[in-house]
Amino acid sequence: MGFGGDRSIPCQCPENLYRQYRHKVSGPILDRIDIHIPVPRLTREELLRSPGGEGSEIIRERVKRARDIQRKRFVDQRIKENSGMTQNQLRTYCKVSPSGQEILAQAIDKLRISARGLDRILKVARTIADLEDSQAIELPHLAEAIQYRSWDRERP
């Protein structure tokens, strides 16, 4: 499967072989991975372009603030970060608005997301909200978290 997903070199593998390769990792294993996205090879132009966006120091500070938010949230509990939330903690700290419920329902139907996959989406959405210093999980946080489930979109 050397070039599957490459933007510049088409994959020569028959579709059934490509699908067979992708299914070597089972759904239950994928459900235990919070974020899975394709990372395509960069073009020559992208590699040579001057770096843009935020610098590492700015990102580092935002991550530190988000981790502090999580430590304060779970100060009297056995966990320190969103990734360790139980079902009860998910219900407490990951309340979703009606519009958020709708996008989650659509994702569950279209992507066939499991209960475990839904929990992962909520934990990632909570972390995205923390990175933005947002008390509530908003629709954009949920949409971004759902996007990070790219393998779910590719299941037959």
Side-chain angles (χ1 to χ4, degrees):
M1 188 177 109
F3 296 106
D6 194 299
R7 296 180 290 187
S8 59
I9 303 172
C11 182
Q12 301 297 316
C13 299
E15 184 63 32
N16 64 331
L17 186 62
Y18 179 79
R19 193 172 288 122
Q20 182 182 7
Y21 178 84
R22 290 295 299 258
H23 286 66
K24 285 184 182 268
V25 181
S26 70
I29 299 253
L30 287 173
D31 272 349
R32 288 170 169 82
I33 301 171
D34 291 344
I35 298 175
H36 31 90
I37 57 173
V39 181
R41 182 168 50 118
L42 296 175
T43 65
R44 176 180 53 207
E45 292 77 20
E46 291 167 328
L47 287 169
L48 295 174
R49 186 178 324 139
S50 296
E54 293 178 296
S56 295
E57 192 59 40
I58 293 169
I59 295 169
R60 183 181 300 114
E61 288 306 313
R62 194 167 63 240
V63 170
K64 282 181 181 178
R65 280 195 311 273
R67 289 180 66 112
D68 287 343
I69 289 168
Q70 292 173 35
R71 282 190 201 101
K72 288 175 187 169
R73 177 181 298 131
F74 303 120
V75 71
D76 293 328
Q77 300 176 43
R78 298 173 78 184
I79 64 170
K80 294 180 182 167
E81 296 161 343
N82 294 337
S83 63
M85 282 192 277
T86 64
Q87 285 296 312
N88 286 337
Q89 291 164 328
L90 279 169
R91 281 191 286 278
T92 302
Y93 301 114
C94 298
K95 292 186 180 1
V96 178
S97 67
S99 60
Q101 291 282 347
E102 179 59 32
I103 194 172
L104 286 174
Q106 289 174 14
I108 289 167
D109 290 344
K110 288 182 182 174
L111 305 177
R112 295 181 296 213
I113 291 174
S114 67
R116 184 181 288 119
L118 178 61
D119 290 352
R120 299 287 186 198
I121 288 171
L122 291 172
K123 290 175 185 182
V124 170
R126 176 71 266 164
T127 300
I128 293 166
D130 291 343
L131 286 166
E132 293 185 2
D133 203 14
S134 174
Q135 293 278 333
I137 296 175
E138 305 290 343
L139 193 57
H141 305 141
L142 283 168
E144 184 175 344
I146 290 167
Q147 280 185 316
Y148 293 144
R149 302 293 297 195
S150 67
W151 280 62
D152 290 327
R153 291 192 296 272
E154 296 182 17
R155 290 186 192 163

